[in-house]
Amino acid sequence: PEEIVKDKGNVGCHDNGHTHNDGQQDHQEPACLCVFDIDRTLTGKQGDTEHCPGNVVKDMYDDGYGGGKATLSALAAAGISSTFCNDCYLGITSAGTGNGVGSPWNNYLLDDVMRGAVHDQFIQRNPASYKTWSQGTDVHSPYVLGQGNRIKQNAVELIREWYGSQGVQIQSGEVYFFGDRTENIPPFQEKGLNSREISCASRDLELYGGSGMVGYCGATPAEIVKDKGNVGCHDNGHT
């Protein structure tokens, strides 16, 4: 509000003394996109807050990995807005379906978890159209269910293109995917998209023969970083 003043003339930011540290004029940062997996990324193991003290149990059912009371990961509990993704557009790409389109849990994900300053402004333009789920590669919204493992990059690229159709141009290098499943991270390189494995400190050693293929507690806010490349837990020294 303080910038809206009744001054005469033609005044740029440079005229007001606004420059970057290198002396260059201010410029707008390129648009970015953060896309999240659901199970064991936005969520943790259902009901377990003893091993995952930052997680929060909700009074809703979540069908993922055997089912139980929906449990927010530390990231979802703290809010996506607590990370750099607050300044980015948001999306979901999951192999699962949450607890089904129209369920209280899926509605909660859209209404309460997918929140950030930039994304909220975008959604307000057309909430009825934008707050819908897409399936697989039939992408007509930023939220995709039923996109299989090792091919999630295809849906994420289609989300990027969908934003373009809505007038939001996002470069491939400004797309950041966060997921817990190890095998899903490297394929994003094919599309020139960034990807990062999360829940690195907590892996589920009961599923998939104890291989640690998937996370346990889910993402933490500290894991949501704006790093380029395709980074697995092993790359960060987690074994």
Side-chain angles (χ1 to χ4, degrees):
E2 64 272 11
E3 292 182 301
I4 310 305
V5 294
K6 196 176 183 181
D7 286 352
K8 303 292 187 180
N10 311 101
V11 184
C13 291
H14 183 74
D15 302 314
N16 285 324
H18 292 281
T19 58
H20 287 297
N21 291 335
D22 60 3
Q24 298 297 312
Q25 263 184 277
D26 284 332
H27 67 278
Q28 188 175 4
E29 290 293 320
C32 51
L33 169 62
C34 292
V35 182
F36 300 88
D37 178 33
I38 297 178
D39 299 322
R40 305 297 174 84
T41 297
L42 295 176
T43 69
K45 170 68 175 177
Q46 287 96 332
D48 191 347
T49 55
E50 179 181 354
H51 297 100
C52 310
N55 291 10
V56 174
V57 178
K58 306 299 289 187
D59 192 21
M60 288 172 278
Y61 187 78
D62 169 23
D63 193 45
Y65 290 123
K69 277 199 169 184
T71 303
L72 301 177
S73 66
L75 166 66
I80 291 171
S81 61
S82 67
T83 73
F84 84 90
C85 294
N86 185 54
D87 297 322
C88 301
Y89 297 89
L90 305 179
I92 286 174
T93 295
S94 175
T97 60
N99 199 38
V101 174
S103 67
W105 173 233
N106 282 46
N107 291 343
Y108 182 87
L109 288 170
L110 296 189
D111 293 338
D112 294 86
V113 177
M114 288 287 102
R115 301 295 301 274
V118 168
H119 195 66
D120 284 357
Q121 287 185 347
F122 175 76
I123 292 295
Q124 286 170 8
R125 299 177 202 166
N126 195 344
S129 175
Y130 294 162
K131 275 192 176 182
T132 59
W133 293 98
S134 298
Q135 296 285 335
T137 54
D138 181 17
V139 175
H140 49 83
S141 73
Y143 313 115
V144 178
L145 301 174
Q147 178 67 358
N149 294 310
R150 298 188 300 277
I151 55 173
K152 289 187 177 183
Q153 68 278 5
N154 297 331
V156 173
E157 169 60 17
L158 290 171
I159 292 174
R160 185 186 74 84
E161 294 175 6
W162 177 84
Y163 272 110
S165 74
Q166 305 302 310
V168 179
Q169 303 305 318
I170 304 171
Q171 301 171 10
S172 298
E174 293 299 328
V175 177
Y176 303 86
F177 173 80
F178 299 95
D180 66 290
R181 194 178 180 103
T182 306
E183 64 184 345
N184 286 332
I185 304 306
F188 278 82
Q189 186 175 13
E190 302 168 5
K191 300 288 186 181
L193 308 173
N194 303 298
S195 57
R196 190 176 191 89
E197 188 175 5
I198 52 73
S199 193
C200 289
S202 61
R203 309 301 293 178
D204 194 317
L205 299 181
E206 293 186 1
L207 296 174
Y208 301 101
S211 65
M213 172 68 76
V214 299
Y216 189 84
C217 293
T220 65
E223 292 180 299
I224 309 305
V225 293
K226 199 175 185 180
D227 285 352
K228 303 291 187 181
N230 310 100
V231 183
C233 291
H234 183 74
D235 301 315
N236 285 324
H238 292 275
T239 57

